[in-house]
Amino acid sequence: MSKFQGKVAVVTGAGSGIGRELARQLTARGARVAISDVNADALAETATLCNSGEVHCYRVDVSSRAAVFAHAQDVERDLCGAHFLFNNAGIALGATFANMTLEELERVVAINLWGVVHCTKAFLPPMLARREGCIVNMSSIFGFVAVPTLSAYNISKFAVRGLTECLWRELEGTGVQAVCVHPGGIKTNIDAGSPLGKFAGETEKRVMNAIHGELVTTAEDCARDILDGVERGAKRIVTGRSARSVELLARLLPTSYGRVLALKNL
């Protein structure tokens, strides 16, 4: 029997991409799913793809502390709480640190990092009280290595990794687990609402084009890897094109991996 059978799973950023596939596959594994996104129409589309599984839709902006805590209360009311939390919502931005505006940086961090913080703070206490739960945080291969023109994204994903690895220790013996996911090369529309920065130039275009050329692993395969990893109790899940190679590169060449990445225009 699946670890998710009959359990409640919360998925943020479920209107498309990995979040949509997580929702679809979770219902296929018997979970009762609470999905959220800022795009209500996309969320409704996701719900129709869940093959008549139990799906509850919530329009939530994870960058809003008030909205997230209200969402946690709604899930508690509607489904009697969450057993799994998938902090998946995220955006990207193509801009060097010098070229990006503070507003652009703040938006990426607000969603990618503060969204994870808000959701974890909102859903963790009931999990601790029940001594049961699993928080799955979406970092990236760019939580292992830093790439020029992705400084805002790197800041957020390194921070998500740091938070999750801290939770590994803090949650020992509580019945609650934390999992850090590092996808790489996943073909999603994460950049659809996250264009090049306002003052981006040729450097940003070159690197973003190189990154787009690496996006070949499907969201379906990525979501399957994530759920399989959670089922087997993994603390770290590395999935997608070149992800394992990048993880190894960061370990072998911690201060000079950039020379290798530069060969791919990254």
Side-chain angles (χ1 to χ4, degrees):
M1 182 182 293
S2 170
K3 193 173 186 177
F4 300 106
Q5 182 68 42
K7 300 297 185 179
V8 175
V10 174
V11 184
T12 68
S16 64
I18 298 170
R20 172 171 286 180
E21 275 301 317
L22 284 171
R24 192 182 67 78
Q25 294 183 36
L26 280 163
T27 56
R29 298 187 190 210
R32 304 163 64 209
V33 180
I35 57 176
S36 69
D37 201 280
V38 292
N39 187 328
D41 291 338
L43 206 56
E45 237 179 85
T46 297
T48 65
L49 297 173
C50 289
N51 297 321
S52 302
E54 184 177 350
V55 181
H56 300 253
C57 298
Y58 304 86
R59 187 182 182 282
V60 179
D61 176 1
V62 296
S63 69
S64 165
R65 181 195 305 183
V68 169
F69 276 77
H71 177 43
Q73 291 177 347
D74 288 343
V75 171
E76 191 74 31
R77 178 198 65 214
D78 298 340
L79 295 133
C80 297
H83 300 96
F84 295 90
L85 168 64
F86 291 84
N87 280 316
N88 169 75
I91 61 172
L93 174 76
T96 64
F97 188 78
N99 286 345
M100 80 172 66
T101 67
L102 282 173
E103 289 75 18
E104 288 171 336
L105 172 58
E106 286 169 352
R107 181 169 181 262
V108 173
V109 172
I111 295 171
N112 293 5
L113 174 56
W114 279 106
V116 172
V117 171
H118 292 155
C119 289
T120 302
K121 286 294 284 184
F123 285 94
L124 178 59
M127 289 181 177
L128 290 172
R130 297 182 180 109
R131 297 189 64 79
E132 180 185 10
C134 182
I135 296 168
V136 183
N137 291 335
M138 203 69 67
S139 180
S140 167
I141 57 168
F142 298 132
F144 290 135
V145 298
V147 175
T149 79
L150 284 182
S151 56
Y153 192 74
N154 283 138
I155 288 167
S156 65
K157 295 305 184 179
F158 269 77
V160 167
R161 176 187 170 190
L163 167 62
T164 312
E165 293 187 11
C166 183
L167 290 174
W168 289 349
R169 296 290 305 281
E170 293 184 354
L171 295 177
E172 287 177 2
T174 67
V176 181
Q177 297 174 305
V179 179
C180 199
V181 181
H182 296 271
I186 312 300
K187 190 174 183 180
T188 71
N189 65 344
I190 187 172
D191 61 333
S194 316
L196 291 170
K198 182 179 179 181
F199 300 108
E202 290 305 313
T203 298
E204 285 88 351
K205 292 176 183 177
R206 174 178 54 79
V207 174
M208 295 305 285
N209 283 336
I211 289 172
H212 290 162
E214 294 290 314
L215 305 182
V216 297
T217 302
T218 66
E220 180 180 4
D221 287 343
C222 177
R224 185 181 302 110
D225 284 348
I226 293 169
L227 297 184
D228 287 348
V230 173
E231 292 246 36
R232 68 174 180 267
K235 286 185 175 182
R236 173 180 288 159
I237 299 168
V238 181
T239 175
R241 180 183 174 99
S242 302
R244 286 288 180 190
S245 299
V246 170
E247 179 190 20
L248 181 61
L249 181 65
R251 281 191 286 170
L252 294 178
L253 302 172
T255 61
S256 56
Y257 59 74
R259 296 175 188 171
V260 179
L261 296 178
L263 297 176
K264 288 194 171 188
N265 288 323
L266 297 178

